[in-house]
Amino acid sequence: MHRWVAAALTALALSVFPVHACAQEATFTSSLRIDTEEGTFQLQHTLDLPLARFGGPRGVDSAPAQPGGMLFLRHTLEPDGSTRWGASLTAAAASWSGRLFIHEPHETSPDPFRLYHASVRTDDAVGAALSVRSVLGVSALYVDRIPLRGLAGPLLSLRVERDGWPLRIGAVAYGTPRLRHHFLVVDGATQLGGVRAAFGAARQSGVELAESGGALVRRNVDEQAFFARLEAAFGRSRAWLLVHDTSAGFRSLAASSYPFRRGAWAVEGRWQWRPATSRLLSVYFQHSRQGGGTEDEVQLGFSSMPRGRWGWRLDVEASWSDGFRDDYGWAVTLTNPDRRFEQHLAFLWDAAGQIRRRLRAQWEEETWRIRLSADDGLPAWRLEARWSPGGWEAAVVFKQRVYSDGGTVSWLHAALTYDVPGFGQWWIQWRESDNGRLDVGWSRPATLGAGVRVFF
């Protein structure tokens, strides 16, 4: 075991130097991750190489586009001994930008219904993206393989808009031998005096084949989604109102999430009023109908944050299902005069009278930061400490969770990073970051990682 670890670390160190002569203004990254539980490792190298003196953006949705190009290369040695690689080529000019990619993530949908996401992909996908900006703005994306209910099939997206027009039209299609889905989206926004109006409508059509009694049954798909939002500011007040309606079967298999509740009609809004400087009253409400039932929610908050003095905020919330109270609670937030310390404490009672407590505290200074969070509804707690003197940054995260079977699980993440002036960065860490979340990361394997990033 020590022999292959030493060999991998040697490759990690020596692989930096041959690339230095390839180009200027490039970035080379090499990383090694060791799974201490399985006794396996993963070695990965990536290279961002400008094709001109100044490079364009790597994504077609980045703006404004700069003339030039960028080549990205990736090589990965997997724990099972297999090798994976990927590449993408981005080119851009004043009126267009494009990207070719092999075994790399595609772009995320820009439409308001989030019809496809970069995380929903296969490792062997190939595709292209193109954006042209002229009298009309046209963006297109093609991916030859995305996962669709156990099978993989192509995805095609097209979006058309015109400067000065409040409308945009988009279409998305994907399919396999067992299903075909098509989406047509119309959305836009306009300013009407002091009111901003935004809207969107989408229709999903297609066909699916499903087994029933040993035979394939054909089912047609016809679903809809709609939303409209108004925003206004008047005097010391600001307000927004949102209405959305989505049929129960509206679902894109290439998406990772959906912004509205499926199968429900809802109206929600918020009104904010400043009675004086550094004071804010906020009221939120939501009413939704799903099936034969209704749900209502109300939140009321008031904050006082004068400069150079202690600040506080009080929030009260309650919800009802079919007219009966579901849960209610309150929360208080306290912060010191320089806003470097903040404490948040929340209590929530459900319909059965059970209480759930949440605590969040943060203390931040010039070179260090401490965060504490706890939730007895999980139940779990998390402590994070970061220290960044000069070019160094050290981070430690420790958290514990108690499961219903009586078992207690502990989780630790530690990382050390150093920025080398005029060279790049190196880092070493234990376990992957949980991105500040208390409710995720518990089942991730224990890994030891190290890496170096070189700029030249």
Side-chain angles (χ1 to χ4, degrees), residues 185-323:
V185 179
V186 178
D187 70 284
T190 186
Q191 193 76 26
L192 303 173
V195 179
R196 183 180 185 273
F199 69 93
R203 181 184 179 186
Q204 178 185 8
S205 60
V207 62
E208 298 179 357
L209 298 178
E211 292 187 4
S212 178
L216 290 178
V217 178
R218 178 188 177 101
R219 184 178 74 89
N220 293 323
V221 177
D222 189 6
E223 307 291 341
Q224 300 82 33
F226 165 81
F227 82 90
R229 180 185 175 101
L230 296 176
E231 301 177 17
F234 41 93
R236 292 178 172 265
S237 299
R238 298 179 63 90
W240 59 263
L241 181 68
L242 173 65
V243 180
H244 53 92
D245 186 10
T246 303
S247 58
F250 186 88
R251 180 173 288 102
S252 172
L253 303 180
S256 62
S257 62
Y258 184 68
F260 310 117
R261 183 182 301 180
R262 294 184 177 91
W265 173 91
V267 54
E268 55 183 302
R270 183 180 296 276
W271 172 66
Q272 293 180 328
W273 174 55
R274 290 192 177 276
T277 304
S278 303
R279 288 176 173 81
L280 179 67
L281 174 66
S282 178
V283 180
Y284 170 83
F285 74 92
Q286 175 178 289
H287 173 74
S288 63
R289 299 176 183 174
Q290 188 171 19
T294 63
E295 293 185 6
D296 297 275
E297 181 181 354
V298 176
Q299 298 177 4
L300 175 65
F302 183 82
S303 64
S304 176
M305 297 288 177
R307 291 185 179 181
R309 299 170 58 184
W310 283 83
W312 59 272
R313 177 182 175 89
L314 179 64
D315 295 278
V316 181
E317 62 177 88
S319 62
W320 297 263
S321 296
D322 298 327

Side-chain angles (χ1 to χ4, degrees), residues 9 73-74 90-91 129 162 174 200 204 230 254 296 369 386 392 407 439:
L9 288 172
L73 301 173
R74 175 183 53 83
T90 302
R162 181 175 179 178
Y174 56 73
Q204 178 185 8
L230 296 176
D296 297 275
R369 180 177 64 194
R386 293 185 178 272
W392 294 87
D439 56 340

Side-chain angles (χ1 to χ4, degrees), residues 380-417:
W381 64 272
R382 178 183 186 273
L383 179 64
E384 174 185 342
R386 293 185 178 272
W387 183 49
S388 54
W392 294 87
E393 182 178 17
V396 177
V397 177
F398 183 76
K399 58 185 182 181
Q400 284 188 326
R401 180 172 181 176
V402 180
Y403 286 90
S404 57
D405 58 3
T408 301
V409 176
S410 299
W411 192 94
L412 174 66
H413 164 74
L416 181 63
T417 304

Side-chain angles (χ1 to χ4, degrees), residues 32-377:
L32 171 68
R33 287 178 173 84
I34 303 173
D35 190 326
T36 59
E37 298 176 358
E38 300 293 333
T40 59
F41 74 95
Q42 181 191 69
L43 183 64
Q44 181 171 280
H45 307 287
T46 65
L47 174 66
D48 276 288
L49 185 65
L51 301 183
R53 186 61 182 175
F54 44 92
R58 284 185 53 189
V60 297
D61 296 325
S62 302
Q66 295 287 341
M70 181 72 71
L71 175 64
F72 172 77
L73 301 173
R74 175 183 53 83
H75 177 267
T76 305
L77 179 61
E78 294 290 354
D80 59 1
S82 63
T83 298
R84 291 194 298 111
W85 62 276
S88 68
L89 175 63
T90 302
S95 61
W96 64 273
S97 62
R99 178 173 178 254
L100 301 175
F101 54 92
I102 302 175
H103 306 170
E104 285 297 311
H106 54 77
E107 283 72 26
T108 295
S109 170
D111 70 84
F113 298 99
R114 304 174 187 169
L115 294 181
Y116 56 88
H117 195 272
S119 63
V120 183
R121 54 180 291 265
T122 61
D123 292 334
D124 57 350
V126 177
L130 178 65
S131 179
V132 179
R133 303 171 185 87
S134 183
V135 178
L136 292 177
V138 180
S139 300
L141 171 70
Y142 171 76
V143 185
D144 72 330
R145 292 173 59 83
I146 61 168
L148 300 169
R149 290 181 181 166
L151 298 176
L155 177 142
L156 179 63
S157 172
L158 182 66
R159 188 173 177 85
V160 180
E161 57 186 309
R162 181 175 179 178
D163 290 340
W165 284 28
L167 292 178
R168 295 173 294 187
I169 301 176
V172 176
Y174 56 73
T176 68
R178 300 182 68 91
L179 62 88
R180 293 193 304 272
H181 290 172
H182 311 91
F183 297 86
L184 180 63
V185 179
V186 178
D187 70 284
T190 186
Q191 193 76 26
L192 303 173
V195 179
R196 183 180 185 273
F199 69 93
R203 181 184 179 186
Q204 178 185 8
S205 60
V207 62
E208 298 179 357
L209 298 178
E211 292 187 4
S212 178
L216 290 178
V217 178
R218 178 188 177 101
R219 184 178 74 89
N220 293 323
V221 177
D222 189 6
E223 307 291 341
Q224 300 82 33
F226 165 81
F227 82 90
R229 180 185 175 101
L230 296 176
E231 301 177 17
F234 41 93
R236 292 178 172 265
S237 299
R238 298 179 63 90
W240 59 263
L241 181 68
L242 173 65
V243 180
H244 53 92
D245 186 10
T246 303
S247 58
F250 186 88
R251 180 173 288 102
S252 172
L253 303 180
S256 62
S257 62
Y258 184 68
F260 310 117
R261 183 182 301 180
R262 294 184 177 91
W265 173 91
V267 54
E268 55 183 302
R270 183 180 296 276
W271 172 66
Q272 293 180 328
W273 174 55
R274 290 192 177 276
T277 304
S278 303
R279 288 176 173 81
L280 179 67
L281 174 66
S282 178
V283 180
Y284 170 83
F285 74 92
Q286 175 178 289
H287 173 74
S288 63
R289 299 176 183 174
Q290 188 171 19
T294 63
E295 293 185 6
D296 297 275
E297 181 181 354
V298 176
Q299 298 177 4
L300 175 65
F302 183 82
S303 64
S304 176
M305 297 288 177
R307 291 185 179 181
R309 299 170 58 184
W310 283 83
W312 59 272
R313 177 182 175 89
L314 179 64
D315 295 278
V316 181
E317 62 177 88
S319 62
W320 297 263
S321 296
D322 298 327
F324 297 94
R325 191 179 65 194
D326 191 10
D327 53 42
Y328 65 96
W330 60 270
V332 60
T333 303
L334 183 67
T335 180
N336 70 335
D338 61 7
R339 304 297 183 257
R340 295 183 180 273
F341 172 80
E342 181 178 290
Q343 177 179 305
H344 175 83
L345 184 61
F347 296 86
L348 184 66
W349 288 265
D350 59 17
Q354 298 294 322
I355 184 174
R356 180 175 185 176
R357 292 171 287 260
R358 296 176 182 174
L359 170 67
R360 186 179 69 251
Q362 175 176 310
W363 193 2
E364 184 175 353
E365 291 293 342
E366 295 294 335
T367 60
W368 57 269
R369 180 177 64 194
I370 297 177
R371 291 179 176 177
L372 173 65
S373 58
D375 187 344
D376 64 359

